[in-house]
Amino acid sequence: MLRVTEIFRSIQGESTHAGRPCTFVRLTGCPMRCVWCDSEYTFTGGEHVPLESVLNQVRAFGCKLVEITGGEPLAQDEAFDLIERLCSEDFEVLIETGGFVSTAKVDPRARIILDVKCPASGEATRNHWPNLERLRAGKDEVKFVIANFEDWTYAIEIIQRYELEEKTLAILISPAWDAVDLQDLAGWVSESGLNLRLQLQLHKYIWGPEVHGV
Ligand code: SF4
């Protein structure tokens, strides 16, 4: 059984896969409490759904790309079985993880999109640093949500300390919604001299920041 908040088909709003049709499996629950979290509705509730039923719903949507997200998807042991089954059926599987749980048991065919929590999230002390050592060049992506200049300088320090330009497919710089001036952030990225990718959350611009499951 998996505890599931929602399964839906939409457009991928983030990462190097932004704009692609994608099925999202949003699992319930998260051990973190980021102050700017936009998924608080996943903290409670959800439905207990058998693994086979989740697979059937994903198959029915017919997208090659599937994202397992949350909440924190890796906080449920059964999520690792779901990932393995989807990879074995040749889905292209993205794991959007908040970085608190170890990624060591994730099927290596899946692609990791790993959040590193910055100070303004209130959860920077809970980053599980060995996850950064496991990132694979050409495959995995790392994401920093930036709420202010302190977050920005923190991100640069982590990118350099862990040599993330060499270890990842992309380093995603994402603004915390309504928290940082987008032109300021674009300027910091363009002047950084680093191989970064500024990303906006497409789905929020298309459907609005409060709408989910679309
Ligand atoms: S890790 Fe993700 S789901 Fe969990 S509190 Fe932080 S932003 Fe929200």
Side-chain angles (χ1 to χ4, degrees):
M1 286 283 185
L2 287 146
R3 201 165 136 220
V4 177
T5 295
E6 56 190 0
I7 302 174
F8 61 100
R9 178 174 54 193
S10 187
I11 297 295
Q12 176 58 253
E14 303 189 55
S15 80
T16 62
H17 304 275
R20 295 180 61 193
C22 182
T23 299
F24 292 83
V25 178
R26 190 181 298 285
L27 300 182
T28 308
C30 183
M32 309 268 264
R33 289 295 181 267
C34 305
V35 298
W36 38 250
C37 179
D38 58 3
S39 308
E40 290 174 317
Y41 61 95
T42 68
F43 291 169
T44 56
E47 274 182 55
H48 290 91
V49 183
L51 175 59
E52 287 301 329
S53 175
V54 174
L55 288 165
N56 283 336
Q57 291 180 63
V58 170
R59 291 177 192 124
F61 281 126
C63 293
K64 164 108 178 117
L65 188 66
V66 181
E67 176 169 302
I68 314 300
T69 186
E72 172 49 67
L74 302 183
Q76 296 189 39
D77 284 343
E78 294 80 359
F80 297 95
D81 298 331
L82 172 64
I83 294 163
E84 195 252 319
R85 291 286 301 276
L86 289 168
C87 289
S88 295
E89 294 190 24
D90 284 335
F91 287 102
E92 193 177 345
V93 182
L94 308 177
I95 314 300
E96 172 80 40
T97 174
F100 171 70
V101 180
S102 171
T103 58
K105 289 193 299 172
V106 174
D107 189 299
R109 295 170 290 183
R111 294 174 181 265
I112 303 289
I113 302 173
L114 176 72
D115 280 18
V116 176
K117 299 303 180 191
C118 296
S121 72
E123 293 288 32
T125 59
R126 300 177 76 192
N127 288 308
H128 183 66
W129 298 112
N131 282 341
L132 274 70
E133 307 288 356
R134 271 187 287 276
L135 291 165
R136 297 158 300 175
K139 182 147 192 166
D140 296 328
E141 305 182 25
V142 65
K143 180 172 86 172
F144 296 85
V145 176
I146 304 294
N148 55 34
F149 191 70
E150 184 190 2
D151 279 358
W152 169 252
T153 55
Y154 179 87
I156 297 301
E157 185 202 331
I158 299 298
I159 289 164
Q160 292 174 334
R161 187 191 309 165
Y162 286 90
E163 301 175 331
L164 296 180
E165 286 179 285
E166 287 78 43
K167 288 185 189 158
T168 60
L169 174 66
I171 300 170
L172 310 169
I173 302 294
S174 196
W177 186 261
D178 237 5
V180 63
D181 184 279
L182 295 181
Q183 293 185 13
D184 286 348
L185 185 58
W188 301 338
V189 169
S190 65
E191 293 162 13
S192 69
L194 298 173
N195 187 18
L196 309 177
R197 178 184 286 248
L198 175 63
Q199 68 162 23
L200 305 178
Q201 295 173 294
L202 287 184
H203 48 288
K204 292 188 179 176
Y205 289 89
I206 297 170
W207 289 285
E210 307 298 336
V211 180
H212 57 87
V214 291

